[in-house]
Amino acid sequence: MNQLRSVLYMPASNRRAMDKARDLPCDALIFDLEDSVAVEAKEQARKQLLEQLQSGGYGPRQLVVRVNGATTPWAEADLLALAQAGVGTVCLPKVESLEQLQHSRELLRSGLSGGAEPNLWAMIETPDGVYNVEQICSAGPPLQALVMGTTDLAHELRVPVRADRLGLQYALSKCVNAARMARIVVLDSVFLNIEDSPAFRFDCEFGRALGFDGKTLVHPSQIADANEVFGLSRGQVEWARRVMAAWRTAQTEGKGVTVVDGKLVETMHIDEAERILALQPVGLGRPQ
């Protein structure tokens, strides 16, 4: 299982930026056909993106394409084109219901010409999406991740922008809980002020404290902090290895319990150790 500590949005209309992204140490890229592409450039951006993906060179990182919203004139064409091209992961913006997600999935299926069905990432950006998030998560595979979009959400909730995201905490925690119930990844929203590194670092730490797996990003300068805050430390990895080794020894000796670092090891510690050891960072940033 790959970690998704840092997930960078990349405008599909900017070929130069997409070329440079091949060398960035992020865990995933979201090539964007939606907000970052002007109306008059939608068709060209889609064509350019498919050419870019065909040329490859992005290494092991996960590649995702965010399509235009379900109510826009470009949504169906985006989904059909991506399905035909064999794109592995599709990000659906402003998902508000299970029915909306299933409709997009059916369009993708109708465009498949063999090959696997794409993974889906669902963006939660509206009060309706938050209200229905458990139902959305009940879709099961190929739904792989929830992605928070709090710029639109804060606007619709009429909450002020604050460092502690006070007015968004209910929505954020509800979505984290829904993702955990569904055993899928949940990614925190973007931080728009690319010149305020300390504030971005705080935003990452706040998201980590809420339980998010990683952070969506708008600029390469944010990658290092996201990788560090959401990544695993060497201490965590070493702890997990000690726990698993002690547990195996206890099992071999017929013991039901064991102790690591003076603390009793319970089933939840075994589960956490297994989760840590299963995670693999795909970017250049490694555990410190």
Side-chain angles (χ1 to χ4, degrees):
M1 184 189 336
N2 289 335
Q3 283 186 267
L4 290 170
R5 307 162 298 176
S6 52
V7 180
L8 178 65
Y9 283 103
M10 187 64 52
S13 56
N14 190 334
R15 186 184 295 274
R16 186 164 173 265
M18 290 192 290
D19 283 336
K20 286 187 175 182
R22 290 186 172 93
D23 298 319
L24 296 176
C26 53
D27 290 334
L29 292 164
I30 300 178
F31 297 103
D32 187 28
L33 293 171
E34 194 207 14
D35 286 347
S36 64
V37 178
V39 169
E40 63 273 12
K42 295 288 188 183
E43 303 289 342
Q44 177 59 28
R46 186 194 307 130
K47 179 176 181 294
Q48 179 172 271
L49 170 62
L50 294 176
E51 292 170 353
Q52 196 78 12
L53 293 176
Q54 182 66 31
S55 63
Y58 288 97
R61 62 179 54 81
Q62 187 164 357
L63 304 182
V64 185
V65 178
R66 180 167 73 170
V67 297
N68 287 284
T71 60
T72 68
W74 311 282
E76 184 171 345
D78 285 348
L79 292 168
L80 292 176
L82 297 183
Q84 291 164 6
V87 170
T89 307
V90 175
C91 180
L92 304 172
K94 294 182 175 66
V95 176
E96 296 186 319
S97 69
L98 178 60
E99 291 75 20
Q100 179 190 339
L101 186 147
Q102 297 289 31
H103 177 69
S104 296
R105 183 182 182 187
E106 289 303 319
L107 283 173
L108 282 167
R109 281 177 168 176
S110 70
L112 289 175
S113 54
E117 183 176 355
N119 294 314
L120 296 178
W121 288 13
M123 293 197 69
I124 306 299
E125 306 180 72
T126 66
D128 282 344
V130 173
Y131 182 80
N132 293 316
V133 68
E134 289 94 349
Q135 185 184 36
I136 290 166
C137 287
S138 73
L143 183 63
Q144 186 184 63
L146 291 183
V147 183
M148 298 306 303
T150 57
T151 302
D152 287 335
L153 181 59
H155 172 73
E156 293 201 26
L157 290 174
R158 303 176 193 167
V159 299
V161 176
R162 294 170 47 129
D164 62 7
R165 293 194 267 178
L166 181 62
L168 293 169
Q169 287 186 25
Y170 166 76
L172 294 172
S173 291
K174 184 176 182 183
C175 290
V176 168
N177 191 68
R180 293 291 167 257
M181 290 171 63
R183 307 294 189 267
I184 63 175
V185 170
V186 58
L187 300 173
D188 197 6
S189 55
V190 298
F191 185 83
L192 297 177
N193 188 350
I194 62 175
E195 296 182 354
D196 193 341
S197 296
F200 173 70
R201 178 83 179 200
F202 175 83
D203 207 57
C204 287
E205 291 170 348
F206 185 87
R208 179 70 184 262
L210 285 176
F212 285 97
D213 295 300
K215 185 81 169 165
T216 50
L217 314 174
V218 294
H219 195 271
S221 64
Q222 299 174 326
I223 294 173
D225 278 332
N227 281 346
E228 184 175 347
V229 173
F230 288 97
L232 299 172
S233 68
R234 294 196 187 281
Q236 286 176 291
V237 175
E238 290 169 0
W239 170 84
R241 288 173 177 160
R242 290 200 305 275
V243 166
M244 294 308 299
W247 182 252
R248 293 189 191 101
T249 299
Q251 295 289 88
T252 300
E253 295 174 353
K255 297 178 181 177
V257 296
T258 188
V259 175
V260 174
D261 298 336
K263 297 179 181 179
L264 190 67
V265 172
E266 301 180 281
T267 301
M268 66 176 181
H269 299 122
I270 303 302
D271 292 342
E272 178 64 6
E274 288 178 336
R275 185 191 71 83
I276 287 172
L277 295 177
L279 290 173
Q280 296 293 326
V282 298
L284 299 180
R286 298 297 178 182
Q288 299 298 315

